Amino acid sequence: MTPTLLITGANRGIGLALTELYLEHGWQVIACCRFPGSAPHLMTLKNRYSTLTTYGLDVTDHTVIQQLALQLIDTPIHLLINNAGLYGPKGYQFGDVDTAAWREVLEVNTIAPLVIAEHFTPHLEKASQSGHTPIFAFLSSKVGSMSDNQSGGGYIYRSSKAALNAVIKSLSIDLRSKGIRSIALHPGWVQTQMGGPKALINTATSAQGLKHVLDTLTDSQNGNFIDYQGQEIGW
């Protein structure tokens, strides 16, 4: 059976790089973003690969998530990468936190991933029943690590990823009996719209590292926090 990847936030950055990499390796890819038709690089890949399908998906619209899950109900999914993310405001200080923006970031980075997992667990179970070990992979960030926080600030993005890590840890326990692994991934500091031009690595390097981590993931790593080089990160 040809393995299938479903990925969110596939229109640019790491999501686009992962989409292209898995297509190159012969996977069926279901690429989701808010406006696929307005994503020229994604449309170029769609013209090149018959194994790529695209869907419009706003991850904060839970009705649309449910509808997509129903539309794909007969599709076994071997790997679901929750890549869609939102940084929120930059440059603010303690005493000047925009709580409305904070709620928006939490909707995208923390709540949406769990809603997606709830609706797509049956699809990963189908893959498990065919002898595969499916994975929920969530793009987290090292800045969500409390033990690594030496600089303070960043309340909105840090807290959203720390909360996501808690969600992932619980999923790894709750879904283990279904044969599904759940993993938190740090992609590195990547040259994207979010990471900025001064970032240390490009999207291809990050994508290749993340794929290697997922390809070699063991059951003992279920529920762990791992970077693109395979190194464990403290919570």
Side-chain angles (χ1 to χ4, degrees):
M1 177 190 294
T2 302
T4 298
L5 160 69
L6 188 149
I7 182 168
T8 65
N11 55 312
R12 67 181 183 219
I14 299 167
L16 181 65
L18 284 165
T19 296
E20 184 167 13
L21 184 60
Y22 277 90
L23 288 167
E24 289 173 352
H25 281 79
W27 283 55
Q28 297 276 349
V29 178
I30 301 166
C32 303
C33 62
R34 284 185 297 172
F35 307 109
S38 301
H41 297 296
L42 188 59
M43 290 300 98
T44 298
L45 290 177
K46 192 173 183 181
N47 291 331
R48 190 187 310 164
Y49 292 96
S50 62
T51 49
L52 173 62
T53 53
T54 59
Y55 291 92
L57 179 65
D58 179 342
V59 297
T60 65
D61 190 329
H62 301 172
T63 300
V64 173
I65 292 171
Q66 182 180 31
Q67 289 171 346
L68 181 60
L70 289 171
Q71 190 173 348
L72 298 172
I73 195 62
D74 294 324
T75 303
I77 293 175
H78 303 80
L79 172 61
L80 193 152
I81 300 179
N82 193 101
N83 165 72
L86 181 64
Y87 190 87
K90 298 181 180 181
Y92 63 90
Q93 302 295 325
F94 173 72
D96 189 33
V97 176
D98 183 338
T99 55
W102 195 351
R103 291 186 184 95
E104 185 180 4
V105 171
L106 287 168
E107 281 282 351
V108 175
N109 292 357
T110 310
I111 298 172
L114 179 60
V115 173
I116 289 169
E118 288 178 333
H119 285 294
F120 281 94
T121 290
H123 306 69
L124 274 72
E125 282 188 276
K126 287 183 186 296
S128 178
Q129 290 161 4
S130 63
H132 295 267
T133 304
I135 301 170
F136 275 122
F138 301 84
L139 269 288
S140 185
S141 173
K142 193 175 181 179
V143 300
S145 166
M146 285 174 273
S147 59
D148 187 70
N149 184 357
Q150 304 298 320
S151 59
Y155 295 97
I156 292 175
Y157 189 67
R158 281 190 191 280
S159 64
S160 74
K161 292 300 188 180
L164 173 63
N165 289 347
V167 167
I168 295 163
K169 184 64 178 179
S170 284
L171 279 175
S172 73
I173 296 166
D174 294 341
L175 301 182
R176 183 189 293 273
S177 64
K178 298 180 184 293
I180 298 170
R181 293 173 181 161
S182 303
I183 190 78
L185 296 171
H186 170 57
W189 185 16
V190 188
Q191 295 159 7
T192 62
Q193 189 175 66
M194 185 184 294
K198 295 181 181 179
L200 300 178
I201 60 172
N202 60 28
T203 56
T205 299
S206 176
Q208 288 162 6
L210 293 171
K211 185 176 185 300
H212 179 72
V213 169
L214 293 168
D215 287 345
T216 58
L217 195 69
T218 65
D219 193 56
S220 64
Q221 293 174 304
N222 182 41
N224 288 8
F225 190 9
I226 303 175
D227 74 8
Y228 76 103
Q229 294 176 306
Q231 301 299 308
E232 298 279 344
I233 299 174
W235 297 117

